[in-house]
Amino acid sequence: MPRPVSYTAIFSVDAAGCVIEWNGGAERLFGCRRQQALTRPLQEVIDSPAGPVNWQEILASTEVSLHPLQGAAGVFDAEMRSVVTHQKGQLIRTLIVNDVSARQQAKRRLLQERDYGDAVLNSLPGVFYHCDENGRLQRWNRNFERMTGLSAGQLAGIHLTRLMPADEQARAAEKIAEVLAGGMAQFEASYQLPNGKRVPCLFTGVRFEHEGMRGFVGLGSDISERKRAERLLRHLATNDALTDLPN
């Protein structure tokens, strides 16, 4: 559960790693009074559920680090920043610690939601695409890469119609405009693979707004088998079953 109040702990250690200063925020965050912390080695004052903390490395670093620490209210995600000063010729290292548990929990939730969304999209039997209002790809599933034969880097930001044969692009653009104007559309078109081969597909599109930006999402299904079956039926309807000659 997120803490209702977040305290900034500031404490200093000498060259031997013993606490020489401990502010009120440190008292409240770690549940240790100043007089209890002073002169003690830092590793005796602050615990971590992940095991011994390498305080020497943290204090010597100029980078912000993140570690789980044991606080007065339980384990929390600690964002730590070290500042080095000299007082009366002595090296003093001051550590600024903030409880960023709420921020980290929100980040973890977003990652979980993203991973869940990716799993759902990648489980779809066809291709999924999300385009902005200009028809440029913003998100897609793995099947999209497999069908087009293009990498994620090649697909990012590409206009959807550029993946189609030149003679089908104008009609596809009209259908995209129909989705944005009317809310949805369904049409048949082909993907053109890098080797020139066409893959006939049934596309659906639904207008969609994401983070205030208008666009559309849709699915594409390979209908190659259906097209072959239709051609066979047309052939059988117009040709003799025994001689295969036109009726």
Side-chain angles (χ1 to χ4, degrees):
M1 179 180 296
R3 292 165 176 75
V5 179
S6 180
Y7 303 108
T8 298
I10 302 175
F11 49 86
S12 301
V13 298
D14 58 19
C18 294
V19 178
I20 58 174
E21 190 51 75
W22 188 262
N23 78 338
E27 289 186 325
R28 291 183 286 274
L29 188 56
F30 293 104
C32 180
R33 304 293 295 175
R34 182 172 184 273
Q35 292 304 317
Q36 295 174 309
L38 292 179
T39 73
R40 292 173 61 191
L42 191 56
Q43 61 266 28
E44 293 183 6
V45 182
I46 302 176
D47 293 325
S48 170
V53 178
N54 189 340
W55 289 111
Q56 185 176 3
E57 180 180 305
I58 293 171
L59 290 165
S61 175
T62 57
E63 302 293 327
V64 175
S65 60
L66 190 69
H67 294 271
L69 297 179
Q70 182 68 47
V75 176
F76 68 96
D77 294 309
E79 183 183 77
M80 298 186 280
R81 183 182 294 103
S82 178
V83 179
V84 178
T85 58
H86 291 82
Q87 296 180 14
K88 298 179 181 179
Q90 293 187 348
L91 178 69
I92 305 297
R93 298 187 188 277
T94 298
L95 203 60
I96 303 168
V97 181
N98 285 294
D99 179 354
V100 294
S101 298
R103 188 177 75 195
Q104 290 301 112
Q105 287 170 1
K107 187 183 295 185
R108 284 191 286 269
R109 280 196 299 271
L110 286 173
L111 290 174
Q112 289 169 353
E113 290 172 3
R114 183 203 65 185
D115 292 344
Y116 173 73
D118 286 346
V120 171
L121 296 181
N122 289 327
S123 71
L124 295 173
V127 301
F128 165 86
Y129 45 87
H130 168 205
C131 297
D132 63 17
E133 63 180 342
N134 297 312
R136 298 188 179 279
L137 274 174
Q138 304 300 305
R139 190 177 182 182
W140 56 91
N141 64 356
R142 290 199 190 103
N143 277 341
F144 201 106
E145 297 176 20
R146 294 190 188 103
M147 179 173 285
T148 61
L150 300 177
S151 67
Q154 292 172 306
L155 289 171
I158 194 171
H159 198 283
L160 191 61
T161 58
R162 285 189 57 193
L163 301 171
M164 300 173 181
D167 59 340
E168 297 186 34
Q169 291 180 6
R171 182 170 178 274
E174 290 176 359
K175 288 297 181 178
I176 290 174
E178 184 179 323
V179 171
L180 293 171
M184 64 171 53
Q186 178 174 296
F187 64 100
E188 293 183 11
S190 304
Y191 279 124
Q192 183 163 313
L193 304 183
N195 62 7
K197 179 183 176 182
R198 297 189 183 201
V199 179
C201 291
L202 175 65
F203 292 98
T204 61
V206 177
R207 190 172 57 210
F208 176 70
E209 189 168 301
H210 178 65
E211 296 181 350
M213 302 296 290
R214 195 175 68 144
F216 62 94
V217 294
L219 297 172
S221 302
D222 184 344
I223 55 174
S224 300
E225 289 298 324
R226 196 192 82 188
K227 288 294 185 182
R228 277 193 286 270
E230 289 174 353
R231 287 195 297 271
L232 178 59
L233 287 174
R234 285 195 298 269
H235 180 80
L236 292 174
T238 57
N239 288 264
D240 185 84
L242 295 175
T243 64
D244 199 33
L245 295 173
N247 292 331

